[in-house]
Amino acid sequence: MTWLRIFYLVVILALVTLVLLPAQLICLALDLPLRRRLPRLWHRVACHALGIKVHVHGSVEAAKPLLLVVNHVSWKDIMILGSVVDVAFIAKNEVRNWPIFGLLARLQKTVFVAREDKRKAGAQVNEIAQRLAGGEIIVLFPEGTTSDGNRLLPVKSSLFGAASSAADQVPGQMVNVQPVAIAYTGIQGMAMGRYHRSVAAWPGTIELLPSLMGLMQAGNIDVDLCFGEPIPFHRGDNRKALSMSATTAIRDMLNFALRGGWRKSR
C-alpha cells in the first residue's frame, strides 16, 4: 500500500508540474500577477496526494503590507500554507540548492537570505520591503529551524528585523504582522498524540526520504492552520515587543490546537 501511495504521489505531482511549470516560468519571466496564484494549485494537489487535510481557522488579513509569522514543524508546512494563501517565503540561502525544494522555492520566488553575510543584509531587506509594498504576502519562520511539533521553539527576535526595516520603506510606514500556527493534530482520523507527532515533524537529523516514507506509511493526517489577529507594526516600534506579542499568539493557538480544541468542533 505504501508503494502504491508513493507511485500515486509521483504520478500526480509529475503531471501537475508538467502542466503548470511552463506557465509559471512565463509568469516569472514577465512578472505577471498569476505567478503568485499558480503555486497554490500545485500545493493543493500536493496536499491531496500526500493525504494531508488542512482545517483552516480564522482568515488571512486583507490589509497590506502583510507579513505572516509562522511556527515551523516540517517541509510540509510550505505546502500547507501554500495551499491556502498566495505567499512567498523567506528562507535561508542553502535552501536554494536543495534537491526538489530548491527548485520549488525558486519557482515560488522565495526570498533567500544569507544571515551570516552582513554585507548582503541591506539588499535582502530591501527586497523584502519591495515585495511587501508590491502587495505580496511574505512568510517568516521566526524560530529559524523546525521543531518536534509539540511546542514552539525560542523565537529569534532578530528575524523580525524584516518587519522593522520594511516599515521604514513601505507606503504608510506600517506592516501588518499576522501570527499563524500550524498544528498537526490527527492521523487516520484519530487524535495525534505527542509521541506520534514525529510522523509529521521534520527535525534536522532526519533526511527527506525517510520523512516522506514515514508519512506514506502512516496514512492521512489532519492539520489545523490557525490565523491570529494581525499586529500593526509602525516605523519606530520596538522589534522585541513585536516578537513577544507574536510569540505569545502563536504559542496560544498552537497549544489550543494540540490539546484538541478544534477537534471538538469537527
Side-chain angles (χ1 to χ4, degrees):
M1 182 62 71
T2 299
W3 288 108
L4 284 177
R5 292 193 68 195
I6 292 175
F7 177 76
Y8 176 74
L9 172 68
V10 171
V11 170
I12 291 296
L13 290 187
L15 289 174
V16 76
T17 300
L18 286 173
V19 172
L20 295 181
L21 180 59
Q24 182 67 358
L25 290 173
I26 292 171
C27 290
L28 285 171
L30 301 177
D31 199 25
L32 300 177
L34 187 60
R35 69 171 173 79
R36 303 175 188 173
R37 296 193 292 271
L38 285 177
R40 196 197 309 192
L41 177 57
W42 191 94
H43 289 306
R44 283 183 176 178
V45 174
C47 284
H48 166 75
L50 286 166
I52 299 172
K53 186 173 183 179
V54 183
H55 305 272
V56 180
H57 311 284
S59 59
V60 182
E61 171 60 32
K64 305 292 193 303
L66 179 61
L67 178 72
L68 302 182
V69 288
V70 191
N71 66 301
H72 200 9
V73 182
S74 169
W75 51 270
K76 297 177 284 295
D77 300 346
I78 306 296
M79 298 173 183
I80 289 162
L81 276 166
S83 70
V84 175
V85 192
D86 300 330
V87 293
F89 295 89
I90 300 175
K92 56 186 179 181
N93 207 41
E94 305 91 273
V95 174
R96 185 194 301 269
N97 298 315
W98 285 5
I100 303 175
F101 286 105
L103 173 62
L104 293 175
R106 293 195 299 273
L107 288 172
Q108 200 159 349
K109 210 170 181 182
T110 293
V111 180
F112 296 104
V113 295
R115 295 170 187 161
E116 70 286 349
D117 192 342
K118 303 300 182 183
R119 295 171 299 176
K120 296 180 180 179
Q124 293 166 356
V125 166
N126 286 338
E127 181 181 358
I128 293 170
Q130 291 168 6
R131 300 277 290 277
L132 287 168
E136 292 193 57
I137 301 172
I138 304 294
V139 174
L140 171 69
F141 295 114
E143 294 162 289
T145 186
T146 52
S147 72
D148 61 5
N150 291 308
R151 61 196 174 100
L152 182 68
L153 296 178
V155 165
K156 302 179 187 300
S157 62
S158 60
L159 296 181
F160 284 86
S164 180
S165 299
D168 291 337
Q169 302 181 48
V170 298
Q173 298 188 319
M174 190 272 284
V175 175
N176 293 288
V177 179
Q178 186 170 22
V180 181
I182 297 177
Y184 293 83
T185 56
I187 181 168
Q188 292 289 64
M190 301 181 66
M192 180 188 290
R194 63 181 298 112
Y195 295 108
H196 294 97
R197 205 155 281 121
S198 59
V199 171
W202 189 42
T205 54
I206 300 178
E207 297 294 331
L208 175 60
L209 186 57
S211 176
L212 176 61
M213 289 294 292
L215 178 64
M216 293 290 97
Q217 291 170 354
N220 297 341
I221 63 173
D222 291 286
V223 181
D224 287 296
L225 180 61
C226 315
F227 292 91
E229 290 297 318
I231 305 167
F233 185 81
H234 298 85
R235 179 183 182 183
D237 284 354
N238 188 284
R239 184 183 68 193
K240 290 188 177 181
L242 170 65
S243 173
M244 290 177 63
S245 296
T247 297
T248 299
I250 295 171
R251 182 177 289 116
D252 287 348
M253 290 187 293
L254 180 63
N255 289 341
F256 178 80
L258 292 180
R259 289 169 183 163
W262 293 116
R263 291 188 63 84
K264 297 173 185 176
S265 63
R266 291 209 284 269

